[in-house]
Amino acid sequence: MSIFLRTGRVRAEWADYNGHMNLAYYIHLFDGSWEVLLGKFNIGEESAKNEKRTTFAVESHTTYDKELKVGDEVDLNLLFLDRDKKRILYKLEMKHKQEQYLASTTEVCSLYVDLGVRKVIEFEKDKADLIDKFISENKDNFDPGKLFLIDKLKK
């Protein structure tokens, strides 16, 4: 099972000379959907602007399973989420909205960063609690398949 985050649509300017969505825009769509959860955990754009605290992606593993073309709509879903004191690991999928085929997955390890000093820091208790509550409430819906970056978490 997965947890729906948002829907996106392949734009004409995202197509490459092969007639399908260029790989950079898969990441763009995944990143936009991840912002939904960053906002929920108070570690996204508002936190970066107001508190100077946010996340930096440091490693990812992306699969391109079936091509997408201009006009295709996709659902972006969370498959897995976990964290340690300084890192957050998640896996997302992109599914063709009408045909329901898997187009792509991405697994990402991000670090929590103080932008004032540009150093990795530990999650504050209130933010860690938000993430942990979400994990606890949703872990039965996680269906990550194979995880490539799980050993990055220091638990």
Side-chain angles (χ1 to χ4, degrees):
M1 223 177 152
S2 59
I3 299 162
F4 174 79
L5 298 175
R6 69 186 291 189
T7 297
R9 181 184 299 274
V10 179
R11 297 179 181 181
E13 60 269 24
W14 296 353
D16 62 20
Y17 54 81
N18 293 315
H20 58 215
M21 184 165 69
N22 180 273
L23 67 92
Y25 296 102
Y26 285 81
I27 302 304
H28 176 74
L29 285 169
F30 280 131
D31 194 51
S33 69
W34 177 237
E35 284 295 327
V36 171
L37 287 174
L38 290 178
K40 181 187 244 351
F41 303 147
N42 297 325
I43 56 176
E45 183 177 4
E46 290 302 312
S47 175
K49 289 179 178 176
N50 300 322
E51 300 173 35
K52 304 299 183 213
R53 308 269 168 109
T54 191
T55 61
F56 286 0
V58 293
E59 189 169 350
S60 66
H61 178 85
T62 304
T63 66
Y64 303 95
D65 300 280
K66 191 167 179 182
E67 69 182 352
L68 294 167
K69 297 184 178 177
V70 173
D72 285 348
E73 275 191 305
V74 293
D75 284 337
L76 295 127
N77 306 305
L78 177 70
L79 296 173
F80 179 80
L81 176 69
D82 202 359
R83 71 166 192 91
D84 63 20
K85 292 179 182 180
K86 301 177 181 182
R87 293 164 199 82
I88 192 161
L89 182 84
Y90 60 94
K91 186 173 182 179
L92 306 173
E93 70 176 0
M94 184 181 301
K95 290 186 94 170
H96 191 280
K97 188 168 187 70
Q98 286 73 33
E99 298 178 31
Q100 287 299 297
Y101 64 77
L102 180 66
S104 184
T105 64
T106 194
E107 181 184 353
V108 180
C109 180
S110 292
L111 300 173
Y112 190 54
V113 176
D114 179 332
L115 293 174
V117 293
R118 312 244 2 132
K119 296 221 182 257
V120 177
I121 59 171
E122 292 185 5
F123 292 104
E124 296 89 348
K125 182 177 179 351
D126 62 321
K127 294 177 182 183
D129 288 348
L130 284 172
I131 298 167
D132 291 344
K133 182 176 187 273
F134 180 88
I135 291 169
S136 177
E137 290 173 351
N138 291 284
K139 65 184 172 190
D140 290 340
N141 293 323
F142 293 162
D143 185 17
K146 182 174 170 93
L147 294 171
F148 292 87
L149 305 177
I150 193 70
D151 61 331
K152 302 297 179 182
L153 293 180
K154 311 294 184 222
K155 291 191 160 205

